[in-house]
Amino acid sequence: MLVTRITRARIGPEAGGHFPEALHAIDPTPPRVSHARDRWLGPLVLLGVGVGMFAWTRGAWPDPLVDFGRELYVPWRLVEGDRLYSDIAWFNGPLSQHWNALLFRVFGVGMSTLVWANGLVLIGVVALLYRGLARLSDQVTAAAACLVLLTVF
């Protein structure tokens, strides 16, 4: 982004303008030239870290019997024809369960279906976060924030 400071010499009292003293000199800062490798370095590092974290933590995710069973059971029952709230006791909103039931209907019932679907959601979230932060700050800051997201959370 080209930033230009307005000067008194260019547009000042001599030219009939009234500007505060804080705007002193013309300083057109040239835009930073970004090469293709600079633009893709952050996303490639994030992709590598994401794939590495997926491989490293694979199988250490929620236990279907202890803390993740209902996320598999309720959509499976919906695929089988049961109805939420009348056949299945449920106290949350219906969107995620019906979305998971649709995924089960299309790709088959199983934890791997939800793993791959949530992996795609994570890719989308990281891409949006990176793009937004890169526009607000710079690519290094955006990559660092996304690395924290991928490794800590």
Side-chain angles (χ1 to χ4, degrees):
M1 178 169 33
L2 182 62
V3 177
T4 305
R5 285 185 241 163
I6 302 171
T7 67
R8 293 176 55 109
R10 187 171 209 191
I11 303 173
E14 310 80 61
H18 301 284
F19 291 96
E21 289 291 323
L23 304 174
H24 287 143
I26 288 182
D27 183 18
T29 307
R32 181 174 175 245
V33 178
S34 68
H35 301 289
R37 86 175 160 183
D38 291 343
R39 188 173 44 225
W40 289 103
L41 183 62
L44 287 176
V45 167
L46 292 173
L47 179 65
V49 169
V51 168
M53 290 299 291
F54 179 81
W56 184 34
T57 63
R58 184 166 173 90
W61 301 323
D63 184 2
L65 297 177
V66 176
D67 59 355
F68 192 70
R70 85 181 167 140
E71 304 304 323
L72 297 168
Y73 178 72
V74 172
W76 168 67
R77 293 271 312 267
L78 292 174
V79 168
E80 295 296 317
D82 290 345
R83 294 176 11 145
L84 206 57
Y85 305 116
S86 62
D87 298 326
I88 303 169
W90 191 252
F91 55 89
N92 292 327
L95 179 63
S96 65
Q97 298 308 316
H98 284 290
W99 172 252
N100 290 343
L102 175 67
L103 292 174
F104 281 175
R105 186 164 292 165
V106 172
F107 298 109
V109 176
M111 187 167 168
S112 62
T113 301
L114 294 183
V115 166
W116 288 106
N118 288 332
L120 291 175
V121 169
L122 178 63
I123 289 170
V125 167
V126 170
L128 287 173
L129 179 66
Y130 180 83
R131 184 171 168 96
L133 289 176
R135 293 185 81 183
L136 290 174
S137 59
D138 61 352
Q139 294 171 341
V140 174
T141 304
C146 290
L147 284 173
V148 169
L149 175 70
L150 288 174
T151 56
V152 175
F153 300 107

